[in-house]
Amino acid sequence: MTKNIDWGSLSFKYQPTDYRVTASYEDGKWSELELTTDPTVHISECACVLQYAQTVFEGLKAYRTEDGKIVTFRPDLNAQRMIDSAVRLAMPPVPEDMFMKALDMLVKANADWVPPYGSGATLYIRPFIYGSGPMIGVAPAPSFEFRMMCMPVGPYFKEGIKPIVIKVSDFDRAAPHGTGNIKAGLNYAMSLYAGELAHAEGFAENMYLDAGTRTCVEETGGANFIFITKDGKVVTPKSHSDSILPSVTRRSLMVVASDVLGMETETREVKFEEVPEFAECGLCGTAAVISPVGKINDHGREIAFPSGMDEMGPTLKKLYDTLTGIQMGRIEGPEGWIHEIEL
């Protein structure tokens, strides 16, 4: 049974579901995972997360396939990225087996919240760890909490996928050799001001260049870039200072391109000066999979891609259709990509 919800009216926003999973870290070890119906977090006013932003998170989705199964897509990569993020912020990592157990517990307990196949909606899952213990000196928290919550969300593009217009930002998203390659809450806080300015100017997102030289493309506030050359090669940016987040969606699209569709792929530094030479441009991430970019505004100079402003370019569309087909069970993907939730 599924909840009596108008699935078609859902947007991408928080909605509490019946259960969430919690565990606490005290005295050098994690407690047992527990299901709770309480959506409220109770922490000290001096909690390290409040004082020094010691928190990391992840984002993934659960889908209902045509034959009624509930599945998630490559959650092992989310588990490993969360481990990497926690280690970088001096936090105790949640082991992969614990992460996967929490995922199974959460989705199974909230199975009625998983939208029906074909509705366009999905169950968004947000795991996170934060420093819950009090800390006024600049040091890691003495205790931590791990939580995993979920909520049904609608399709990212309500009116269909249309190309967006973005701008080149004068701000930096992340410092060279900083925390740009982990999923830390502080990275997203850093992008909020620049994001609000972009929106006020009529742009959907920012393009951030590398902070060291401001000559190479890095990413946006919450997604990686993917480019298509005029001869059909799929290119994604590589950072010489390790400040690009390793997007699960982007990595999966590159495998789909090379191994499933037989396309030529390349991960390398992308000079901003070569961007006008690409045929297509997109942003890739969990929420939208691929957001096509029609134009980039570089301080008044407009870079318009041949794919235009009416629809997603043909190569990005092929990548999008193939990856979403794998996620929804319509297309068989590489072994191990789909994790079924046993009900």
Side-chain angles (χ1 to χ4, degrees):
M1 293 290 292
T2 57
K3 296 285 183 179
N4 185 21
I5 293 174
D6 181 3
W7 302 105
S9 68
L10 290 174
S11 59
F12 198 84
K13 67 177 184 180
Y14 172 70
Q15 176 176 323
T17 51
D18 295 332
Y19 297 97
R20 60 277 306 137
V21 177
T22 69
S24 298
Y25 186 88
E26 300 272 0
D27 301 323
K29 62 181 181 179
W30 285 105
S31 66
E32 291 296 318
L33 295 167
E34 295 182 4
L35 283 170
T36 178
T37 58
D38 187 0
T40 306
V41 170
H42 302 273
I43 55 174
S44 166
E45 62 184 349
C46 201
C48 199
V49 63
L50 301 179
Q51 304 304 320
Y52 302 117
Q54 195 179 23
T55 181
V56 298
F57 71 98
E58 272 300 324
L60 63 158
K61 291 179 176 180
Y63 314 82
R64 199 178 292 273
T65 61
E66 192 169 12
D67 58 3
K69 296 177 182 177
I70 297 176
V71 302
T72 56
F73 180 71
R74 307 193 76 182
D76 56 310
L77 296 189
N78 296 99
Q80 183 57 55
R81 190 170 62 181
M82 194 172 205
I83 290 171
D84 297 338
S85 297
V87 169
R88 180 63 178 83
L89 287 195
M91 306 172 74
V94 170
E96 182 178 331
D97 59 346
M98 179 178 170
F99 184 100
M100 296 299 293
K101 182 179 179 181
L103 176 65
D104 289 347
M105 287 174 62
L106 178 76
V107 178
K108 184 176 181 179
N110 291 291
D112 291 350
W113 291 90
V114 181
Y117 174 82
S119 66
T122 54
L123 187 74
Y124 183 75
I125 300 161
R126 170 57 59 86
F128 57 106
I129 311 170
Y130 61 91
S132 55
M135 181 55 64
I136 199 61
V138 181
S143 57
F144 298 85
E145 185 163 346
F146 167 62
R147 291 176 75 94
M148 190 181 287
M149 62 182 179
C150 62
M151 64 212 71
V153 296
Y156 200 76
F157 297 108
K158 279 289 191 181
E159 307 303 323
I161 302 173
K162 294 292 184 182
I164 59 176
V165 182
I166 65 176
K167 64 168 288 191
V168 177
S169 180
D170 291 323
F171 295 92
D172 295 326
R173 174 188 161 269
H177 311 292
T179 59
N181 64 339
I182 65 168
K183 208 163 177 67
L186 59 91
N187 291 344
Y188 295 80
M190 291 290 287
S191 72
L192 294 178
Y193 179 71
E196 289 300 294
L197 285 180
H199 295 159
E201 294 169 4
F203 301 106
E205 250 292 6
N206 283 296
M207 168 183 274
Y208 292 103
L209 304 180
D210 72 287
T213 69
R214 298 193 63 79
T215 61
C216 294
V217 175
E218 293 236 318
E219 60 175 285
T220 68
N224 283 186
F225 277 100
I226 184 168
F227 296 101
I228 310 298
T229 64
K230 290 176 181 176
D231 59 358
K233 181 189 294 184
V234 183
V235 178
T236 59
K238 178 181 179 180
S239 170
H240 67 276
S241 61
D242 201 23
S243 54
I244 295 177
L245 185 75
S247 162
V248 173
T249 303
R250 185 256 298 164
R251 285 182 282 170
S252 301
L253 284 168
M254 295 300 277
V255 175
V256 165
S258 62
D259 296 2
V260 179
L261 298 176
M263 302 170 66
E264 188 177 352
T265 63
E266 188 175 18
T267 300
R268 60 171 174 83
E269 287 188 8
V270 174
K271 296 290 187 181
F272 178 65
E273 63 186 20
E274 68 176 295
V275 168
E277 301 303 315
F278 289 113
E280 300 175 41
C281 172
L283 313 180
C284 48
T286 300
V289 182
I290 297 177
S291 305
V293 176
K295 296 178 182 178
I296 300 174
N297 187 292
D298 177 23
H299 301 86
R301 177 176 73 101
E302 191 172 82
I303 300 171
F305 294 99
S307 51
M309 288 298 298
D310 293 328
E311 58 186 9
M312 184 182 289
T315 304
L316 287 180
K317 183 68 163 57
K318 185 183 296 184
L319 288 169
Y320 176 88
D321 288 344
T322 305
L323 184 61
T324 54
I326 292 171
Q327 291 173 334
M328 300 300 293
R330 296 188 297 267
I331 298 173
E332 185 172 351
E335 185 177 353
W337 275 23
I338 300 300
H339 173 73
E340 182 178 350
I341 306 297
E342 298 291 343
L343 301 179

